[in-house]
Amino acid sequence: MTASAEERPQTRVPLNPERVMRTAIEMADRDHIETVTMRNLARRLGVEAMSLYHHVENKSALLDGMVDLVIGEIIEEVAAVESPDPRDDWKAAMRERILAARRVLLRHPWAPQVIEQRSLMSPSIVLYFEGTLEIFRRGGFSNDLAHHALHALGSRALGFTQELFQPADAGDEEAAGEMLAEMAPKLPYLVGMLAEIAHDDPDSTLGWCDDQAEFEFGLDLLLNGLEQINRPQ
Amino acid sequence: MTASAEERPQTRVPLNPERVMRTAIEMADRDHIETVTMRNLARRLGVEAMSLYHHVENKSALLDGMVDLVIGEIIEEVAAVESPDPRDDWKAAMRERILAARRVLLRHPWAPQVIEQRSLMSPSIVLYFEGTLEIFRRGGFSNDLAHHALHALGSRALGFTQELFQPADAGDEEAAGEMLAEMAPKLPYLVGMLAEIAHDDPDSTLGWCDDQAEFEFGLDLLLNGLEQINRPQ
DNA sequence: ACCTGAACACCGTTCAAGT
DNA sequence: ACCTGAACACCGTTCAAGT
């Protein structure tokens, strides 16, 4: 792909940190995070690689900045959601907050991996968790329980879980299927489950399930459990 | 478990895939996963980098092999645990299984990241999940519920969760503290929680908590929730 | 102030050649 | 069969120099 008409690098807009990071996000959204190299990013911006260092300290700071902008998008999305007063129904409020965050991350599939890898503590992520904590506290949680709750949710508070098995390419999927078939005699439970699950939903196998449904199942399990601890009856 | 004593490279033991991978694991355990480069690994084995390619297809296969050996260790550790019959108490059986897996991963701190990044489907990981599934099924779970349960546990089934905030170096920790102090006026809930948590446990802050305790809290939340769905009363 | 080109120190990997 | 050295195509980054 040459420098194409979708961007307009011919207009010589001067570079600035935000434009550098936004372009890097676009690249990662369109392709993969691995394609975001200093050299590739520079070419996309019609500039030499070394020019980027005037706007971004280094590659590590670039990645942190990208994540920070995504968290910013999440904060906006969450703010736009109308959700119940946590004092009336903290569980519904939390659920909607988290599902809103998830919607943003689905637009940036590279972000979960980068967020987990870098475990950065930026102003925007701190603000996001302040908002999460506010819902728990106004819902009647003690500080101690709220603290445990944040840990128990983990990345789910931001709207994602990292799937342990993933599609990868079609070749991998086929290889996995062959391996399962070969090992079938040693895997009575797994084979049985997959057979039955496949009956209910032909597109499902162990690793390629409906993520949204599974995400919500796990989330509700945790929220219900927290509810019981918060208000035992 | 006779961890390999320091073998001197001068003894010229012929290379084989297992020795290559075991040495890579040792390096990753001792330092970081980033120090495991083909060139470094070769030097450690007293050999040229290119020799490794006779025993390992490429770097990707090396990492998969390393993970596979760790999962093998987990399977051994789990097998050595005496746990109740799942028909009597699936929850206790599952809890001990998972905490045993966690003990192995604590010896290989690089493994969680690599496992999540690569989402590989190897024979040993499939066998591990077969065993996990067996406990659910013998505990009375339907295939459908067991399937949801596996997803809800996610990486917790293998004994780990990826912390969103992590120590990093002391400099990072200090920078994070400064940022929190600066933002304090905008963070009433977070500051309040941290103050109270710090009182209970002076070493605790948002990201540097007792992992074992938090892991068990989240795990029990999920297991208890599953119990209620499995046997509603 | 911003951008550049050459260069450095690393990667994983290929290839033809050694023993 | 196993190992090697040189080389290739990439990285991120430093530096001195250009405008």
Side-chain angles (χ1 to χ4, degrees):
Chain A
M1 290 296 165
T2 49
S4 49
E6 45 201 355
E7 273 310 298
R8 295 92 180 158
Q10 86 267 17
T11 37
R12 287 229 180 276
V13 188
L15 250 46
N16 60 55
E18 168 131 6
R19 206 161 80 87
V20 170
M21 288 166 189
R22 292 253 178 242
T23 306
I25 289 175
E26 269 175 44
M27 286 178 64
D29 289 347
R30 226 182 293 258
D31 305 328
H32 294 102
I33 188 68
E34 294 88 23
T35 69
V36 181
T37 68
M38 298 301 270
R39 283 169 163 93
N40 272 344
L41 177 55
R43 190 176 332 123
R44 189 83 151 66
L45 287 162
V47 109
E48 292 297 313
M50 294 64 211
S51 308
L52 300 177
Y53 286 85
H54 289 95
H55 305 97
V56 154
E57 200 178 320
N58 51 33
K59 172 114 191 230
S60 174
L62 171 67
L63 289 170
D64 285 349
M66 291 168 70
V67 168
D68 216 49
L69 286 176
V70 169
I71 307 280
E73 276 182 50
I74 289 180
I75 290 176
E76 277 179 44
E77 179 92 10
V78 162
V81 169
E82 290 176 40
S83 43
D85 189 314
R87 281 169 301 192
D88 301 332
D89 191 348
W90 67 264
K91 208 167 68 166
M94 186 61 72
R95 198 172 194 278
E96 290 193 27
R97 175 184 184 82
I98 289 176
L99 294 182
R102 180 174 176 82
R103 286 196 295 277
V104 174
L105 286 175
L106 290 178
R107 302 200 298 258
H108 305 294
W110 51 272
Q113 200 188 113
V114 179
I115 291 171
E116 286 213 335
Q117 257 172 29
R118 309 191 54 74
S119 63
L120 91 159
M121 210 149 153
S122 69
S124 65
I125 210 165
V126 169
L127 279 176
Y128 179 78
F129 277 97
E130 168 74 6
T132 302
L133 181 57
E134 176 177 355
I135 293 179
F136 280 136
R137 290 290 281 151
R138 296 179 72 194
F141 282 48
S142 69
N143 272 322
D144 193 51
L145 180 56
H147 176 235
H148 286 313
L150 287 179
H151 276 283
L153 284 178
S155 71
R156 246 184 267 255
L158 275 166
F160 71 92
T161 57
Q162 198 83 342
E163 284 277 334
L164 236 45
F165 308 103
Q166 248 161 355
D169 48 295
D172 268 20
E173 193 169 330
E174 198 186 344
E178 280 173 29
M179 192 186 67
L180 281 179
E182 240 174 76
M183 295 175 67
K186 293 162 85 175
L187 307 173
Y189 291 100
L190 222 35
V191 168
M193 183 188 82
L194 290 175
E196 192 172 318
I197 298 297
H199 178 261
D200 292 336
D201 176 359
D203 288 329
S204 290
T205 67
L206 180 60
W208 298 257
C209 300
D210 181 337
D211 285 314
Q212 183 69 28
E214 298 301 344
F215 182 84
E216 294 187 14
F217 179 87
L219 177 60
D220 289 336
L221 214 52
L222 289 165
L223 295 182
N224 289 335
L226 291 169
E227 185 178 41
Q228 291 213 342
I229 298 176
N230 186 42
R231 285 178 199 168
Q233 60 185 19
Chain B
M1 222 221 50
T2 55
S4 50
E6 295 317 294
E7 57 249 304
R8 281 294 181 239
Q10 88 253 22
T11 35
R12 239 172 263 289
V13 188
L15 250 44
N16 60 54
E18 168 131 6
R19 206 161 80 87
V20 170
M21 289 166 188
R22 291 253 177 243
T23 307
I25 289 176
E26 269 175 45
M27 285 177 65
D29 288 347
R30 225 183 294 258
D31 306 328
H32 294 102
I33 187 67
E34 294 87 22
T35 70
V36 180
T37 67
M38 298 302 269
R39 283 168 162 92
N40 273 345
L41 177 55
R43 192 177 328 126
R44 189 81 151 65
L45 287 160
V47 109
E48 290 298 311
M50 294 65 212
S51 308
L52 300 178
Y53 286 86
H54 291 274
H55 306 97
V56 155
E57 199 178 320
N58 50 35
K59 173 113 190 231
S60 174
L62 172 68
L63 290 171
D64 285 349
M66 291 168 69
V67 168
D68 216 49
L69 286 176
V70 170
I71 307 280
E73 275 183 50
I74 289 179
I75 290 175
E76 277 178 45
E77 178 93 10
V78 162
V81 168
E82 290 177 42
S83 44
D85 188 314
R87 283 168 300 193
D88 300 333
D89 192 346
W90 68 264
K91 209 167 68 167
M94 185 63 71
R95 197 173 196 278
E96 289 192 27
R97 176 183 184 81
I98 289 176
L99 294 182
R102 180 174 176 82
R103 285 196 295 275
V104 174
L105 286 174
L106 291 177
R107 301 201 297 259
H108 305 293
W110 51 272
Q113 200 188 114
V114 178
I115 291 171
E116 286 214 334
Q117 257 171 30
R118 309 192 54 74
S119 63
L120 91 158
M121 209 150 153
S122 69
S124 64
I125 211 166
V126 168
L127 278 175
Y128 179 78
F129 276 99
E130 167 75 5
T132 303
L133 180 56
E134 177 177 356
I135 293 178
F136 279 137
R137 290 290 282 151
R138 296 179 74 193
F141 282 47
S142 69
N143 273 320
D144 193 52
L145 180 57
H147 177 235
H148 286 313
L150 287 179
H151 276 284
L153 284 178
S155 70
R156 243 183 270 256
L158 274 166
F160 71 93
T161 59
Q162 197 82 342
E163 284 277 334
L164 237 45
F165 307 103
Q166 247 160 356
D169 47 294
D172 267 20
E173 192 169 330
E174 198 186 344
E178 280 172 28
M179 192 186 67
L180 281 179
E182 238 174 77
M183 295 175 68
K186 293 162 85 175
L187 306 172
Y189 290 100
L190 224 34
V191 168
M193 182 187 82
L194 290 175
E196 193 172 314
I197 298 297
H199 178 260
D200 292 336
D201 176 359
D203 289 328
S204 291
T205 67
L206 181 59
W208 298 257
C209 301
D210 180 337
D211 284 313
Q212 183 69 27
E214 298 301 343
F215 181 84
E216 294 187 14
F217 179 87
L219 176 60
D220 289 336
L221 213 52
L222 289 165
L223 295 181
N224 289 334
L226 291 169
E227 185 178 41
Q228 290 214 342
I229 297 176
N230 188 41
R231 286 178 196 166
Q233 61 186 18

